[in-house]
Amino acid sequence: MPTPNAFPLQERIPVGSTLKRVAHLAILSLLVLLLLYRLSSLPHHGLPWLLALLCEAWFTFVWLLNVNAKWNPVIRRTHPAHISKRCEDLPAVDMFVTTADPVLEPPIVTVNTVLSLLAIEYPAHKLACYVSDDACSPLTYHALVEASEFAKSWVPFCRKNGVGVRAPCVYFSREPEPRQLLSPGFLKDWELMKDRYEQLREKIEEAGRAGDHLCFDDELSRPTKLDRGGHPSTVKFIWENKANVADGIPHLIYVAREKRPRYPHHYKAGAMNVLTRVSGVITNAPFMLNVDCDSFANNPQVILHAMCLLLGFEEEAMSGFVQCPQKFHGGLKDDPFGNQFVVAQLTAGLGMDGLQGPFYLGTGCVHRRKVIYGAAPNGEFSAQEPELERKFGSSRELKESAMEVLMGASKTTLAIKDLSSSVYAAQQVASCTYEFGTSWGEEVGFVYGSTTEDVQTGLRIHGMGWSSVNCSLDPPGFLGNAPVDGPASMTQIKRWSTGLLEVVVGRNSPLLATLAGELRFRQCLCYLSLNVWALRSLPELCYALLPPYCVMADTSFLPKVSKHSQLH
Ligand SMILES: O=c1ccn([C@@H]2O[C@H](COP(=O)(O)OP(=O)(O)O[C@H]3O[C@H](CO)[C@@H](O)[C@H](O)[C@H]3O)[C@@H](O)[C@H]2O)c(=O)[nH]1
Ligand SMILES: [Mn+2]
């Protein structure tokens, strides 16, 4: 019998280069010499010299943080072909898509993301797709209903023809691959599918233009006007894989959590926690994939690759979550606003995989459900009733399902026994008062209190001692949209950088997680380099203002070249 290592699921390949390290050390010594020179000559100079010293000291500090992050780069190789040899049955996965506004995030975008997930290469009876709609918009709901009809021909078409990108808008924006044209009848199928997709798109866009006439069901059970701020919780099964078969289409469930004007909703983190609970009482898969509504699956094997990284280690603690790097589709050429983070992905992205693992980036990530439930790696969990209720809230169904997860049950199919009772329980856990007095948003679930809930949630997970793993694939696992104009990029960067700064001083600070928790020191420095992003603007601005100031004040912050030192 072969040993398990004969079929590794993943390989870790360090790619550190000595040359790069020598270059870093050379730069470090130059920086130190510059600072020493400034310091020693400070008494002979005025304020500009002191300001230059402070700015350069700060730049050196940030430079050190960055070098720390990229010092030990690692790449991962994954072998999905070995999965069947290593485990008998694949685990189940709940897939979450969040959307918040049918105008800013048109339903056709969400529909494409959902279709790319429904058609993913993974047994369909092990998948369930949940869409959270924070606007509770009938437009989004109806678009998904139409999409589920379309999926009945789209998913078999993708499987039969080994389609690469399974978001139809991207697939049909290109000509079919020449290799596919060789198979008889392909072109006819392709044209038919393309026509059907066009019809779907037109129908959805037409409904959007027509505006308010839609309501949730055929009967007028709900105000037709969109009310984003106040609505009851709505959970609807759009499609159920009743036959529970591998080559069917995964369950598709629409979720709009309850919203009331005076109750905090905690933005995306709140939506993710509702999805976690709703899926907990319906399918309760041990793994959860989450994507933004605009990040479609670009590599149909992405879940299989992620599974290699989740199942391929001796110890679970090595992979609390698996994060695909955030890559973008249709972004501006050469990334003029720098919001595609191309360099950071290649440097810190690979470097952190050599430490405790990549940050959680909010999209393109597969979590272990028990990690989100606050379990420590290989740790004991108190299963006492009062403890469970304090943490997870009062729903009996949720407490039972959470127990299963924390005890390590590995669920492999997602057949639904009693639809109506699980929908009832789901509506209950999606209410806006459910979390009061519980640990949701703190010890359990996605962390509240910051506009960058993702980084903060990842930090909490690393702080408990879990590692994470980078899943960098070719073609990339998911592709999202980056803002394509200056103002939108600035708004996004301002939101991120302020959110990240709040974290340093809050109770979820990486410093505290290192001192009192299990966050490793060098990983803490990686978090710090991200968290102090907003502060970098001050010394940068100051340093940029020094030359004009010195010209105007007829002084200098740079050493003067003396006659003797000039080269002739
Ligand atoms: O109240 C809200 C607000 C947002 N969202 C969803 O959250 C996702 C991300 O929001 P978006 O406004 O697109 O933010 P971005 O700046 O593009 O998102 C990046 O930054 C966020 C905060 O760090 C992360 O959560 C995201 O995953 C990451 O892609 C989208 O799917 C939204 O629909 C909600 O569901 N409810
Ligand atoms: Mn976005």
Side-chain angles (χ1 to χ4, degrees), residues 326-378:
Q326 237 182 329
K327 301 248 164 131
F328 302 94
H329 161 75
L332 294 179
K333 188 174 169 296
D334 300 330
D335 193 20
F337 302 113
N339 53 0
Q340 298 180 29
F341 303 100
V342 182
V343 177
Q345 309 258 11
L346 286 173
T347 53
L350 300 190
M352 289 181 67
D353 208 9
L355 302 172
Q356 213 174 338
F359 302 123
Y360 165 44
L361 298 175
T363 177
C365 183
V366 186
H367 285 104
R368 287 179 199 278
R369 188 183 279 271
K370 65 167 155 190
V371 169
I372 291 297
Y373 282 0
N378 313 322

Side-chain angles (χ1 to χ4, degrees), residues 272 286-290 310 320-322 360 365-372 446 457-458 461:
M272 290 299 295
F287 295 100
M288 313 189 297
L289 162 73
N290 93 264
L310 288 160
F321 62 88
V322 167
Y360 165 44
C365 183
V366 186
H367 285 104
R368 287 179 199 278
R369 188 183 279 271
K370 65 167 155 190
V371 169
I372 291 297
F446 295 77
T457 303
I461 296 172

Side-chain angles (χ1 to χ4, degrees), residues 292 294 481 492:
D292 288 352
D294 58 7
N481 283 341
Q492 189 186 47

